[in-house]
Amino acid sequence: MKAGRTGSLLWSWVQPEEWIFKGLLLTLLLGVCWSPGALSLEVSVGKIPSLEALNGSDVLLPCSFTSCIGYEDLLFRWSYNRNGTLELMLEATIKGPKYEPRILFSDYRVQFAGTSKTNNISIILLNVDFEDSGQYICYAKNPKEKNRVHRATYTLLVVSEMKVVDKTLTTIIASVVGGLIGFLIVFLLGKKLILFAIAKSRERKECLVSSSGIDNTENGPTGTKGNTKPTPKA
């Protein structure tokens, strides 16, 4: 019996309910973190990987990276794909999350615009011209993930003037929708006013009828006189 009680107490001490909850939460977090997609280093240039820029303007080329297990001595670089040949534009390393990038090489028209605090490794390309149109590759390598490498491509198109978007159809649709909404509001207000007027008219008629009935009751029937003669005795 004593051994049974000892085992029961040991079981309750090892696996209380809160430990079970924490264990499930830890398992879930580990499952998300160690899944193949989350574990790997990933580089992204945003949801829209392309841009039209005006000739002579400065252009931001966005890029960021993520890693579930963190990073150490991360190497990243930007390159321009010129007919299949990659031309280096910027190369830098980040010792860790608390350190800002150390620039190893940078083209004279390139400025680093990111920060390690948000895993942002974007750059600004100054004074773009038509020859700058093409694909730009953002590359990163994480030694902490056994030199895992990932890259993403951003497409730039330099134009002489920005396209004017024809908003005529949008304006027409907005006007029609606005007109319908306005008509509906006026209709509902008018309906409420009419119903309110009808209700007030009915109340007034009922009041007049009620007042007329009370007056007739107090004054007696029209055209009759009260009998003032005493009743004859037998």
Side-chain angles (χ1 to χ4, degrees):
M1 294 294 293
K2 187 175 181 179
R5 289 185 59 188
T6 302
S8 178
L9 291 173
L10 181 61
W11 178 261
S12 62
W13 179 79
V14 173
Q15 289 190 345
E17 293 182 358
E18 60 179 11
W19 283 35
I20 296 175
F21 174 75
K22 291 180 180 179
L24 292 174
L25 181 60
L26 180 61
T27 301
L28 178 62
L29 291 175
L30 288 175
V32 172
C33 183
W34 288 92
S35 61
L39 175 61
S40 303
L41 172 71
E42 290 188 3
V43 174
S44 173
V45 292
K47 295 181 179 179
I48 304 177
S50 61
L51 175 70
E52 286 189 2
L54 192 63
N55 182 33
S57 63
D58 299 337
V59 179
L60 175 68
L61 303 180
C63 186
S64 61
F65 67 91
T66 57
S67 177
C68 185
I69 63 174
Y71 63 92
E72 292 179 357
D73 296 324
L74 180 86
L75 172 69
F76 71 91
R77 66 170 64 105
W78 275 92
S79 303
Y80 174 63
N81 185 1
R82 187 180 298 277
N83 300 324
T85 302
L86 296 182
E87 296 181 358
L88 183 63
M89 300 173 59
L90 182 138
E91 185 175 74
T93 59
I94 306 177
K95 187 174 181 180
K98 297 182 180 180
Y99 299 88
E100 286 301 318
R102 183 169 67 94
I103 306 299
L104 303 178
F105 171 80
S106 178
D107 187 90
Y108 72 96
R109 289 199 302 132
V110 174
Q111 290 182 355
F112 181 70
T115 175
S116 60
K117 295 179 181 179
T118 56
N119 295 347
N120 186 350
I121 51 177
S122 304
I123 62 172
I124 295 177
L125 184 59
L126 304 175
N127 192 25
V128 297
D129 56 30
F130 299 109
E131 293 183 356
D132 293 322
S133 296
Q135 294 181 336
Y136 293 82
I137 292 86
C138 180
Y139 164 99
K141 181 175 70 173
N142 187 13
K144 192 173 182 179
E145 297 183 33
K146 297 181 180 180
N147 290 325
R148 164 74 182 182
V149 172
H150 195 252
R151 58 179 58 85
T153 302
Y154 193 80
T155 303
L156 175 65
L157 177 62
V158 180
V159 296
S160 58
E161 59 180 4
M162 302 302 292
K163 295 180 180 178
V164 178
V165 180
D166 187 4
K167 298 183 179 180
T168 304
L169 181 60
T170 304
T171 303
I172 294 174
I173 294 175
S175 300
V176 172
V177 173
L180 290 175
I181 294 175
F183 174 77
L184 182 60
I185 293 174
V186 173
F187 174 77
L188 293 176
L189 290 176
K191 182 179 178 181
K192 286 187 176 181
L193 289 174
I194 293 173
L195 293 176
F196 178 77
I198 293 174
K200 286 294 183 180
S201 178
R202 288 180 179 176
E203 290 179 1
R204 186 176 180 182
K205 288 181 180 179
E206 290 176 356
C207 184
L208 291 174
V209 172
S210 177
S211 299
S212 176
I214 293 173
D215 291 342
N216 291 338
T217 303
E218 291 178 350
N219 297 330
T222 304
T224 60
K225 296 181 179 181
N227 188 6
T228 59
K229 293 182 180 181
T231 303
K233 295 181 180 180

